[in-house]
Amino acid sequence: MKRILLIILLAAAVVGLSHYAFFRTETKPEFDEARLDEVREMVKLCSMKICDEVAIKDSINGKWIFAKAKVNGYIRFDIEQLDYEVRNDTIFMKLPPEEVEIYESTEPGAYQVFDTWDNSLLSRRKMTATEENILKRRMADRYRSAIYQKGYVKRARGSAITTLQTLFGHLKQPIVIIDDAQ
């Protein structure tokens, strides 16, 4: 019985030492920039997520398109840029500028072309993928402007202020969050 116990202990020691040697000599991965970007994204306060469908009617080089696209996006605030100042017994925080991100959805059927045509006389030129991508970027830019006009950014800023007040509400000092954009 002692001999079996000794063999089991030796086997366990060999396995343990080989495991230690393998992981000790294994090269550690170098700094991964993608992981750093993921961490940076985590410190952004997302106060509004956008999911919408938009119509696209636009032209480029005499070629027209009529389509619909699903767009996704976010209105976020980078907490790393949160500026603060302590005056007497109060902390004054300044809400950082918003980041409005709009992109085309990757869901199946998110982009549908209903019609394309060429306005030039007797021409049958097809719209190229490059031209179509330019029109999609224009649509995203127009949609971003509409977000500001519809008051979504103002509402997102209000939501961000409420979230920050809740987040920092456990501090003993009173918090005042300043929104310069309003």
Side-chain angles (χ1 to χ4, degrees), residues 50-61:
I50 299 165
C51 298
D52 201 0
E53 280 191 7
V54 294
I56 302 171
K57 182 180 178 192
D58 203 350
S59 69
I60 186 167
N61 300 329

Side-chain angles (χ1 to χ4, degrees), residues 5 24 31 56 62 82 96 100 109 118 174:
L5 187 58
R24 176 125 169 99
F31 182 69
I56 302 171
L82 189 68
V100 179
D118 189 345

Side-chain angles (χ1 to χ4, degrees), residues 126-142:
K126 299 247 183 218
M127 185 172 292
T128 65
T130 303
E131 291 171 328
E132 201 167 342
N133 286 334
I134 291 170
L135 295 178
K136 287 179 185 180
R137 271 186 297 230
R138 276 195 222 162
M139 177 270 308
D141 291 341
R142 282 193 300 268

Side-chain angles (χ1 to χ4, degrees), residues 5 14 33-34 36 41 48 56 81 92 107 124 178 181:
L5 187 58
V14 168
E33 188 68 31
L36 181 61
E41 288 300 312
M48 185 176 287
I56 302 171
Q81 295 181 10
F92 291 87
E107 294 176 20
R124 296 224 177 256
I178 301 167

Side-chain angles (χ1 to χ4, degrees), residues 5-61:
L5 187 58
L6 183 63
I7 292 172
I8 292 173
L9 286 175
L10 283 173
V14 168
V15 169
L17 286 173
S18 63
H19 186 267
Y20 173 76
F22 175 77
F23 285 109
R24 176 125 169 99
T25 59
E26 182 182 57
T27 59
K28 293 187 179 178
E30 292 192 20
F31 182 69
D32 188 357
E33 188 68 31
R35 287 186 185 167
L36 181 61
D37 288 340
E38 288 174 10
V39 171
R40 284 187 182 132
E41 288 300 312
M42 288 171 34
V43 295
K44 291 186 180 180
L45 171 65
C46 178
S47 63
M48 185 176 287
K49 182 177 180 180
I50 299 165
C51 298
D52 201 0
E53 280 191 7
V54 294
I56 302 171
K57 182 180 178 192
D58 203 350
S59 69
I60 186 167
N61 300 329

Side-chain angles (χ1 to χ4, degrees), residues 145-173:
S145 296
I147 286 172
Y148 282 92
Q149 291 171 353
K150 291 178 182 179
Y152 292 169
V153 173
K154 185 176 181 178
R155 192 168 65 190
R157 292 185 79 78
S159 175
I161 288 171
T162 303
T163 302
L164 288 173
Q165 286 171 335
T166 303
L167 182 66
F168 294 115
H170 70 283
L171 297 176
K172 293 180 182 177
Q173 291 177 305

